């Protein structure tokens, strides 16, 4: 493949998208996720100290989100590790959901 063919293939794959813009968006989402996780950890600790209960709904939301991320990664990459993590997170999410429902009705 010569230089022109590689350039043409790259342009066809990117379909007019700005690579720098995509990278900035990805990094912004990573930073946003990190901030959300840190804030949820703080909220969970404060909630446990003030209300003396486990904040199951936060753990449910985080583990459900991470399971979706890892299922997506598995679908794209077909790596068993991604599937294993996705299944573990999904099982944890179901457990936290059940705990949260029991807290609501109990």
């Amino acid at each position: 493949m010569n230089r022109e063919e590689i350039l043409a293939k790259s342009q066809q794959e990117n379909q007019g998208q700005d690579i720098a813009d995509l990278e900035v968006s990805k990094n912004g989402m990573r930073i946003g996720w990190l901030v959300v996780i840190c804030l949820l950890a703080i909220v969970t600790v404060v909630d446990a100290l003030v209300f003396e209960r486990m904040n199951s709904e936060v753990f449910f939301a985080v583990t459900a989100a991470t399971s979706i991320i890892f299922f997506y990664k598995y679908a794209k990459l077909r790596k068993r590790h991604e599937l294993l993590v996705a299944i573990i997170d999904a099982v944890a999410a179901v457990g936290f959901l059940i705990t949260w429902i029991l807290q609501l009705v109990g």
Side-chain angles (χ1 to χ4, degrees), residues 59 62 82 86 95 97 106:
F59 293 121
V62 170
E82 308 297 340
L97 176 62

Side-chain angles (χ1 to χ4, degrees), residues 21-72:
D21 187 45
L22 292 174
E23 286 301 315
V24 168
S25 295
K26 285 181 186 178
N27 289 336
M29 289 183 67
R30 285 186 192 116
I31 292 168
W33 261 101
L34 182 61
V35 169
V36 166
I37 298 299
C38 291
L39 290 174
L40 289 174
I42 292 168
V43 167
T44 300
V45 169
V46 170
D47 203 45
L49 294 173
V50 173
F51 298 113
E52 298 177 358
R53 72 174 188 96
M54 185 173 81
N55 200 335
S56 299
E57 60 272 21
V58 169
F59 293 121
F60 163 64
V62 170
T63 54
T66 55
S67 71
I68 297 301
I69 290 168
F70 280 99
F71 275 123
Y72 177 79

